[in-house]
Amino acid sequence: MTAHAARTGIWFIGARGSVATTATAGCAAIAAGLHPPTGMVTETPPFTDTGLPPLTSLVFGGHDTLDCPLPKRAEALAAGGVLPHGLPSAVGAELAAADTEIRSGGPLPGDTRTDEELITAFASDIADFTRRNELARTVVVNVASTEPAPGEDDPRLPASSLYAAAALRAGCPYANFTPSTGLRSPRLQDAVDSCGLPHAGRDGKTGQTLLRSVLAPMFVQRALPVRAWSGTNLLGGGDGAALADPAAAAAKNAGKERVLADTLGAAPEGEVHIDDVPAMGDWKTAWDHIAFDGFLGSRMILQTIWQGCDSALAAPLVLDLARLLARSHETGLTGPRPELGFYFKDPDGGASALSEQYEALLAFAGRLRAAR
């Protein structure tokens, strides 16, 4: 296969979810010239000539426990205003092709397979996808619903870690765009250390926490002590239902709080509350209330409201990550990639401030360009 003809696979964990469906449909739309690549940092000038796989070369597949066909899922997202009207029909062939590459995930209730058997089965699915489609490589990206953090005495690996272990076994770069455990299970440490593959994570930074990573450094740099930082999220859809579980919500909020603690030096007073509002569908409203001290102890308040669609915010970032990890793998880079911390609440090392993370990402682009 020539370099020009090489194709790259993206294997989504949660392939029929809102984020994966939006990314798959969006990639097809951009490749066809139907829409601009809004929100894709890798399509901006600093990433020209870095050797990233073209959007036209990407092939999609994945695991999911749902059986709703991808074209039908896209139609539902269009009805909810997440995808443009008419887009599911315009890219129907691409959605149908991706749907044929989605395999049953797990473990489902009643599944008696051991962790090892599940990892082997998942890895076989990924390897088969890569082989049949004659792909140069496949990047595995977890965009499934948030799972509760496992207990210390839990005898089984959580589902996210089963998929992550399968990615390594199949020889695939891996990104965890969720707060779930993924590669960070202590039981996977030896496999992670010896895999020789690039990986990145955890927990994509798309809305409320993106804004926090911009605002928190402002208070530090202007010597304005933050007394309290509270937040509320109202959301529906699959995420709202998943995060109605207090354990899953706690896993999600840990990343939000970490950004403030890392930047401010300590976690301020206040909590983040997540409320499931099914009527909101895939849309979300996030409200922050920040109490801080000004000169001579004057009490001040900053309030922010973020309204948007998480899947539309996440999809371009997921495509960015897959392309950057594919290129990292092609150039022989291994291990955690702190340069990709720009995309995460809980990155693998690196800075916490968004501006510093962006500079690190630009430097990484230069490194990839030099490797051509």
Side-chain angles (χ1 to χ4, degrees):
M1 184 183 302
T2 65
H4 178 72
R7 299 193 301 168
T8 297
I10 299 181
W11 187 267
F12 284 129
I13 308 305
R16 292 192 170 109
S18 296
V19 174
T21 305
T22 303
T24 303
C27 182
I30 296 167
L34 301 177
H35 287 272
T38 304
M40 289 193 66
V41 180
T42 54
E43 286 294 299
T44 59
F47 291 85
T48 302
D49 297 326
T50 53
L52 299 180
L55 294 175
T56 53
S57 75
L58 301 181
V59 181
F60 294 91
H63 281 117
D64 209 316
T65 56
L66 303 177
D67 57 8
C68 177
L70 207 55
K72 186 175 181 180
R73 182 74 179 104
E75 289 172 2
L77 291 174
V82 177
L83 296 178
H85 176 72
L87 183 62
S89 296
V91 298
E94 290 86 347
L95 290 170
D99 194 65
T100 65
E101 297 291 355
I102 297 176
R103 301 293 178 262
S104 178
L108 293 168
D111 193 334
T112 60
R113 288 177 293 178
T114 66
D115 285 357
E116 177 60 27
E117 288 171 332
L118 286 163
I119 293 169
T120 298
F122 296 157
S124 177
D125 289 337
I126 300 168
D128 179 63
F129 168 73
T130 304
R131 182 180 59 257
R132 283 186 298 98
N133 289 284
E134 299 182 327
L135 305 175
R137 58 189 50 81
T138 295
V139 179
V140 176
V141 185
N142 183 13
V143 287
S145 296
T146 300
E147 65 188 12
E152 292 184 5
D153 299 326
D154 195 326
R156 300 292 300 268
L157 284 170
S160 65
S161 295
L162 296 173
Y163 290 121
L168 301 189
R169 187 168 298 182
C172 298
Y174 171 85
N176 185 6
F177 206 72
T178 81
S180 301
T181 305
L183 288 179
R184 297 198 184 178
S185 168
R187 293 168 57 187
L188 296 184
Q189 191 60 56
D190 289 344
V192 172
D193 291 343
S194 62
C195 70
L197 296 163
H199 52 88
R202 174 175 60 172
D203 198 2
K205 183 165 55 184
T206 57
Q208 183 181 45
T209 311
L210 175 67
L211 193 57
R212 287 180 167 208
S213 68
V214 173
L215 291 175
M218 175 192 73
F219 290 106
V220 174
Q221 292 162 7
R222 285 298 182 93
L224 299 171
V226 174
R227 293 185 291 110
W229 198 315
S230 301
T232 294
N233 283 261
L234 308 176
L235 71 161
D239 273 353
L243 295 174
D245 179 347
K252 182 74 173 177
N253 284 337
K256 294 178 179 291
E257 296 166 357
R258 187 178 297 107
V259 168
L260 296 181
D262 288 350
T263 305
L264 300 176
E269 293 181 8
E271 298 179 348
V272 176
H273 297 276
I274 300 177
D275 294 328
D276 178 26
V277 185
M280 295 183 69
D282 286 282
W283 296 82
K284 179 173 78 171
T285 295
W287 170 69
D288 271 17
H289 183 280
I290 309 161
F292 65 99
D293 289 334
F295 190 54
L296 303 180
S298 56
R299 297 293 180 95
M300 303 189 189
I301 298 293
L302 172 65
Q303 295 185 52
T304 67
I305 299 176
W306 179 289
Q307 293 179 303
C309 174
D310 257 0
S311 56
L313 289 164
L317 309 184
V318 165
L319 294 172
D320 277 352
L321 281 165
R323 299 171 80 200
L324 288 163
L325 284 169
R327 178 65 175 142
S328 298
H329 186 246
E330 182 183 16
T331 59
L333 296 176
T334 64
R337 305 315 314 167
E339 306 94 338
L340 303 183
F342 174 74
Y343 294 98
F344 296 103
K345 298 182 183 74
D346 184 14
D348 296 303
S352 296
L354 191 70
S355 58
E356 295 176 10
Q357 291 174 334
Y358 181 62
E359 291 301 320
L361 184 63
L362 293 183
F364 188 52
R367 181 176 180 181
L368 296 179
R369 187 179 298 107
R372 295 201 73 181

